[in-house]
Amino acid sequence: MTQRKGAKPTISIQEHMAIDVCPGPIQPIKQISDYFPRYPRGLPPAAPLQAGHAGPLRSALSTSSSSTTAAAAAAAPAESERPNEDTPDRACAGASAASATPSAAASIQAAKRDEEPDVEAYDSDDSTTLGTLEFSLTYDQENNALHCTINKAKLPVPRYKKGLKPMDHNGLSDPYVKLHLLPGASKANKLRTKTLHNTLNPVWSETLTYYGITDEDIVRKTLRISVCDEDKFRHNEFIGETRIPLKKLKPNQIKNFNNCLEKQLPVNKTEEKSLEERGRIMISLKYNTQKSCLVVGIIRCAHLAAMDANGFSDPYVKTYLKPDENKKSKHKTAVKKKTLNPEFNEEFSYDIKYADLTKKTLEVTVWDYDIGKSNDFIGGVSLGINANGERLKHWFDCLKNKDKKIERWHTLTNELPGSLND
């Protein structure tokens, strides 16, 4: 049959029908799960190793090759009769043949555990993703100071490693650390480090110091260390925290910690409100036997509560010796502008007989000076025979040690001593 030049080739109906469009029985279409079979627990797959592959699995198979030769020879005819298909049934048949020898199955399973990571051991919950924090604490008993050195935190991204989870959209964080003393946490006793931007492995190497820490505080206080992510456009995000009872510390000894961060624990709001601390004050007492007077020294304050909108206060201190029938026992220090850690170093004298001191109470209050409106009460403390703890001990030490100056730190609370008005 000749074909003209430029004409399209044609196929006759007989030639078209002769095309073998169905060469055999229709095979079922494989599903995606067929390529990833689920083996019964305890039966590892006995698939043949690829050429050039080496690892713990090959070494385990080589050690058990002598014990599995017979089982492989028995399974060879059965496999040769089956079509060459990569099906789950074929894999399971090989697995059952391999499981005929317990020693070979155990060695293969052990090698598989060494080769693959244990995914179930790394849950992606907060217990493994909040991270770790390295820091050290030192209680300086002589200077009544608590030094907290924040070293670094670990913030890796991979899920198989413990670390702080990234809080920002770019996969990084802007972390900082803040400290609170419990109970009595407030803005007055909050300290914080600088913020490190766009990092998952922050290294601060920064020391924060609490002044006015007494032995009583070491027994009953707990230090809360929180890690947060700074956000300029929204509220700062909480990452994790850890709490250290101060009674774990020994005086003048550095104790290092590497703690996992935990979720934020609830705080008893009623207790916090009634015991809210407003700062610390250092007071000196001395009874002068030559002049028959009590000398009260207002030395300094630390970590005062911020009462002004600029985050500071303009503090001054007032003292009263109660009961005060003539209302002449009031003394006042100078005002220190824009500070939360003022130093006064002022002394006031009260002419009083030594025997009458057992009937008196010294009330000390700290105020924030404001122009054009009433001054704000920051905190107060009372010393005398009706006090307790360090306040009572300070008063008795003054009575027992005449002509000797006794200095002590005291905690300012939000309770106004007596019914004083500014």
Side-chain angles (χ1 to χ4, degrees):
M1 178 179 179
T2 60
Q3 183 177 352
R4 293 182 181 180
K5 188 177 181 179
K8 295 182 178 180
T10 59
I11 300 176
S12 63
I13 189 64
Q14 290 81 3
E15 292 175 336
H16 177 73
M17 295 301 295
I19 297 176
D20 188 7
V21 294
C22 187
I26 299 176
Q27 298 293 332
I29 300 175
K30 292 184 180 181
Q31 298 181 359
I32 189 66
S33 59
D34 293 340
Y35 295 94
F36 303 96
R38 296 179 178 273
Y39 302 103
R41 185 176 296 274
L43 295 178
L49 293 176
Q50 300 293 332
H53 175 73
L57 190 58
R58 175 179 290 273
S59 62
L61 288 175
S62 62
T63 57
S64 61
S65 59
S66 60
S67 60
T68 58
T69 304
E79 291 190 8
S80 61
E81 296 175 0
R82 299 180 58 87
N84 189 14
E85 299 178 24
D86 187 13
T87 62
D89 297 335
R90 180 187 178 97
C92 289
S96 61
S99 61
T101 56
S103 60
S107 59
I108 294 174
Q109 191 171 0
K112 186 174 181 65
R113 283 198 302 266
D114 295 338
E115 189 175 12
E116 296 182 1
D118 186 7
V119 178
E120 295 181 357
Y122 295 94
D123 259 334
S124 59
D125 57 3
D126 288 342
S127 64
T128 58
T129 58
L130 293 184
T132 59
L133 181 67
E134 294 184 17
F135 59 96
S136 63
L137 298 177
T138 308
Y139 172 47
D140 187 352
Q141 189 176 32
E142 182 179 356
N143 297 316
N144 296 105
L146 176 65
H147 305 289
C148 180
T149 301
I150 306 297
N151 295 323
K152 61 182 179 179
K154 293 185 179 180
L155 296 83
V157 175
R159 60 172 301 199
Y160 297 130
K161 298 181 181 179
K162 294 183 180 181
L164 300 185
K165 55 184 178 182
M167 305 298 290
D168 298 340
H169 295 294
N170 58 2
L172 303 175
S173 296
D174 302 320
Y176 67 92
V177 179
K178 62 180 181 179
L179 311 180
H180 283 101
L181 282 176
L182 302 176
S186 65
K187 292 183 178 180
N189 60 29
K190 181 185 76 172
L191 300 178
R192 62 163 288 173
T193 66
K194 59 186 177 182
T195 301
L196 301 181
H197 297 282
N198 296 327
T199 178
L200 293 177
N201 295 281
V203 178
W204 288 281
S205 299
E206 187 173 347
T207 300
L208 306 175
T209 302
Y210 279 106
Y211 295 99
I213 301 297
T214 62
D215 292 340
E216 182 181 358
D217 294 326
I218 295 296
V219 174
R220 68 183 187 93
K221 291 282 187 178
T222 297
L223 180 65
R224 178 173 66 187
I225 306 177
S226 306
V227 182
C228 300
D229 174 62
E230 187 177 271
D231 198 323
K232 294 182 179 180
F233 305 103
R234 297 179 298 175
H235 292 292
N236 296 343
E237 297 184 66
F238 174 83
I239 297 179
E241 72 171 31
T242 183
R243 299 189 182 188
I244 305 296
L246 297 184
K247 60 185 179 181
K248 292 184 176 182
L249 305 180
K250 295 182 179 180
N252 306 317
Q253 292 186 11
I254 300 176
K255 188 172 181 63
N256 297 313
F257 297 88
N258 186 5
N259 289 10
C260 293
L261 298 177
E262 302 174 354
K263 294 181 180 180
Q264 192 168 16
L265 302 176
V267 180
N268 191 340
K269 295 296 183 181
T270 57
E271 180 184 3
E272 290 294 307
K273 187 174 181 180
S274 61
L275 297 175
E276 181 182 355
E277 295 183 2
R278 299 295 186 89
R280 303 295 176 101
I281 185 171
M282 177 180 278
I283 302 173
S284 67
L285 297 178
K286 174 184 175 182
Y287 185 77
N288 192 326
T289 55
Q290 295 181 353
K291 299 182 179 180
S292 298
C293 67
L294 176 66
V295 181
V296 178
I298 305 299
I299 301 175
R300 59 178 296 192
C301 294
H303 315 301
L304 293 179
M307 308 302 292
D308 297 337
N310 59 5
F312 294 95
S313 295
D314 301 320
Y316 66 95
V317 181
K318 295 193 303 181
T319 63
Y320 293 85
L321 193 62
K322 296 292 190 78
D324 183 17
E325 299 177 357
N326 299 325
K327 296 183 179 181
K328 295 182 179 179
S329 66
K330 175 182 176 181
H331 291 283
K332 186 191 311 186
T333 68
V335 177
K336 302 296 181 180
K337 293 290 185 178
K338 199 176 179 181
T339 179
L340 300 179
N341 298 279
E343 294 189 11
F344 298 99
N345 295 316
E346 297 187 32
E347 291 185 345
F348 309 109
S349 298
Y350 292 99
D351 295 329
I352 185 175
K353 296 180 180 179
Y354 177 78
D356 294 338
L357 285 178
T358 56
K359 305 175 184 178
K360 296 291 184 177
T361 299
L362 178 66
E363 294 181 348
V364 181
T365 56
V366 183
W367 299 80
D368 171 53
Y369 178 76
D370 290 322
I371 300 177
K373 60 179 182 179
S374 60
N375 298 331
D376 298 321
F377 172 71
I378 297 179
V381 62
S382 297
L383 286 73
I385 58 173
N386 296 323
N388 52 34
E390 289 290 331
R391 296 169 294 173
L392 178 61
K393 186 175 183 298
H394 192 187
W395 190 257
F396 277 148
D397 288 344
C398 174
L399 298 180
K400 291 188 297 184
N401 300 278
K402 300 177 183 179
D403 298 317
K404 181 179 179 181
K405 181 185 292 187
I406 308 295
E407 296 180 353
R408 292 284 191 280
W409 280 97
H410 297 282
T411 300
L412 298 171
T413 64
N414 58 336
E415 297 178 354
L416 187 65
S419 58
L420 296 177
N421 294 320
D422 187 36

